[in-house]
Amino acid sequence: PHEQSTISKNSGFARTLDLQYFGLRHRLSDVDSSSAETDKRSMFTVENLWVSKAHAPMLRAANLLDIEPLSQRTFDWFEEPNIRRGGWSGVSRIVLNPDAAAQEQKATFLKAQMNHFYGGLARLSRKRLTFEREFNALQALGPTTKAVPNVLFFAKWRRGTDTGALLAIEALDDSLQLKDWLRGKTQREPPDESTLRRVLTAIARAS
């Protein structure tokens, strides 16, 4: 009768196969772990998104609400990027409806930044992006005074160890210098004392 050949589990050949399999499995595990870590570092997440309902359709039509590609976009800068504090921030002026007649066009100042944090001494233990801080201040001041720009949208994002923000406000084409307005050097009447106190209190709370 034909005898079936077998390999003893205790044989050197079997142990070699076990070790080779274990080593291969271990190496594959390392590759999977490395790939997972790479995916984690490159993963893009939006941590905070606020959009003005009134402006959402126009922002969407202008492709300004797709945050990930917007965070990587190269802009024509209205203000050249400020590179410091280990990061950068810049401002671009964008016309939301460029095909409209000139008098009907709506423009926004889009502020973009990455790893650019507010350096106040009181915030050393809890860093905040400068545009995140500005957004919070504008939201706090909105109910107090109309002398602040309207926020169109704000987004805070993270990719690996990098974090950034996008803040869009209505273009301040007809804006006044605050110090000139407070000193009565413009055609607009300066605020009364009670209004000024409310504004200053809101600024202090927001900062």
Side-chain angles (χ1 to χ4, degrees):
H2 178 72
E3 294 184 0
Q4 184 177 3
S5 62
T6 60
I7 299 175
S8 170
K9 291 184 179 180
N10 294 325
S11 69
F13 181 66
R15 287 197 298 273
T16 300
L17 287 178
D18 288 342
L19 289 173
Q20 287 178 343
Y21 174 72
F22 177 78
L24 176 60
R25 185 172 58 182
H26 184 67
R27 287 195 297 273
L28 289 175
S29 177
D30 287 344
V31 171
D32 292 342
S33 176
S34 177
S35 299
E37 192 65 28
T38 300
D39 291 342
K40 184 177 180 180
R41 286 197 300 267
S42 61
M43 185 182 298
F44 183 91
T45 57
V46 178
E47 296 188 345
N48 186 12
L49 178 62
W50 183 94
V51 182
S52 165
K53 292 182 179 179
H55 296 89
M58 188 173 291
L59 291 169
R60 192 170 291 109
N63 295 320
L64 293 182
L65 293 183
D66 198 351
I67 304 304
E68 183 172 7
L70 189 63
S71 70
Q72 303 175 32
R73 183 168 161 182
T74 300
F75 296 100
D76 294 325
W77 296 111
F78 183 82
E79 293 181 7
E80 287 298 319
N82 179 7
I83 303 175
R84 61 174 179 166
R85 296 175 183 167
W88 60 268
S89 67
V91 181
S92 177
R93 186 180 187 277
I94 298 176
V95 177
L96 300 177
N97 53 342
D99 296 330
Q103 65 274 16
E104 297 178 356
Q105 290 182 350
K106 301 292 184 182
T108 178
F109 283 134
L110 178 61
K111 304 184 175 188
Q113 67 180 186
M114 184 175 73
N115 299 333
H116 194 268
F117 299 99
Y118 169 55
L121 293 176
R123 305 293 179 179
L124 289 178
S125 60
R126 184 169 63 89
K127 295 192 299 184
R128 281 197 300 170
L129 294 162
T130 56
F131 291 159
E132 180 182 21
R133 178 173 179 259
E134 180 178 348
F135 168 70
N136 292 336
L138 291 174
Q139 292 294 89
L141 289 171
T144 305
T145 176
K146 295 181 179 180
V148 293
N150 291 324
V151 178
L152 306 190
F153 84 88
F154 169 79
K156 179 182 178 181
W157 57 264
R158 184 178 299 276
R159 183 189 296 108
T161 58
D162 294 324
T163 183
L166 296 160
L167 174 63
I169 62 174
E170 283 186 334
L172 304 176
D173 296 330
D174 299 322
S175 63
L176 303 173
Q177 288 289 334
L178 178 62
K179 61 181 181 180
D180 292 338
W181 177 54
L182 294 176
R183 294 172 180 173
K185 294 183 178 181
T186 68
Q187 295 180 352
R188 295 186 182 181
E189 183 178 354
D192 57 67
E193 184 175 351
S194 62
T195 299
L196 181 58
R197 287 183 178 276
R198 290 200 307 272
V199 171
L200 294 177
T201 300
I203 292 174
R205 289 175 177 172
S207 60

